[in-house]
Amino acid sequence: MKALAQTTTSIPWQRLTTAYGRGTDIPRLMETGQYEELANLIEHQGTLWQTTPWALLILLRELAKRTPEQVSLEEVELYLAVASAITVEYMDSQHTLETMDKLLDEKYLWPKNEEEDESRWEEETPPGYESEVFISYYYFSYVLLREAIPLFTAMMNGNDKLAPAIAELLLLLEAEGAGE
């Protein structure tokens, strides 16, 4: 997955949407560990957004560099919220884009100018929310979380305070993966 080459600064956050507008604040929220606020932007009422797989990519990459004691419950709850939004219909790559990098194609990004955002949401299909693309936000988020199962397992085994939440996360991911 070429997406692994992406960095926090190479992702056009300001041209990707969240539950409450553009993703401009996401790098700052990740850097400062504001996981609860970040979770509210990338998952809202069972919906994942354009920013979700990219935020997960960066967060999981950083998580791999930390010890279990350095991980907060708020961060685990963010992963749990995303995993809870993913249902079996989003686990099949048949109706998704071929690669995660395609999600950053110009045709799926919002314009740099935010002045007409409200009217764009009123369009039948706003940019980046065509069926195949929308399902891809879930599918690639699912793939990233599944790839992190060994990491989550190590975190659970190394931090008793996080163990119940991570156990719940692993149950979700393993149940979801049963259909593969």
Side-chain angles (χ1 to χ4, degrees):
M1 189 180 330
K2 267 183 166 176
L4 296 178
Q6 296 292 344
T7 63
T8 304
T9 55
S10 69
I11 297 167
W13 300 105
Q14 72 284 1
R15 298 189 62 201
L16 300 172
T17 57
T18 72
Y20 297 101
R22 302 284 186 110
T24 310
D25 290 336
I26 287 183
R28 177 185 57 80
L29 295 173
M30 287 191 291
E31 187 178 313
T32 57
Q34 295 181 54
Y35 300 111
E36 190 173 343
E37 191 173 337
L38 184 58
N40 289 329
L41 294 177
I42 68 171
E43 184 281 332
H44 182 68
Q45 297 180 346
T47 301
L48 302 184
W49 302 85
Q50 284 181 300
T51 54
T52 307
W54 301 107
L56 285 177
L57 176 73
I58 302 299
L59 287 170
L60 292 170
R61 187 182 296 155
E62 293 303 311
L63 181 66
K65 299 175 186 174
R66 298 187 353 248
T67 65
E69 301 80 32
Q70 295 173 310
V71 181
S72 70
L73 181 59
E74 291 77 18
E75 183 174 3
V76 174
E77 288 173 342
L78 175 147
Y79 302 126
L80 193 52
V82 172
S84 296
I86 301 168
T87 56
V88 72
E89 66 266 23
Y90 298 125
M91 296 174 206
D92 183 358
S93 64
Q94 182 179 354
H95 301 290
T96 66
L97 299 177
E98 311 83 66
T99 66
M100 191 166 148
D101 279 326
K102 295 242 186 248
L103 294 172
L104 296 181
D105 282 357
E106 184 64 34
K107 62 186 170 188
Y108 305 129
L109 299 177
W110 284 54
K112 290 178 183 169
N113 184 335
E114 298 180 34
E115 287 178 21
E116 297 179 21
D117 279 7
E118 202 167 309
S119 63
R120 280 194 176 76
W121 281 118
E122 293 171 7
E123 293 174 12
E124 191 170 316
T125 307
Y129 285 87
E130 299 82 355
S131 178
E132 182 181 60
V133 182
F134 184 67
I135 290 170
S136 295
Y137 304 143
Y138 289 81
Y139 175 73
F140 290 114
S141 295
Y142 167 69
V143 168
L144 290 165
L145 289 170
R146 290 273 304 160
E147 288 174 353
I149 286 176
L151 182 58
F152 293 136
T153 302
M155 294 289 155
M156 180 176 69
N157 294 335
N159 187 329
D160 290 342
K161 291 178 184 172
L162 301 180
I166 295 176
E168 184 180 349
L169 173 61
L170 290 172
L171 273 174
L172 271 176
L173 294 173
E174 288 166 6
E176 291 168 351
E180 291 180 52

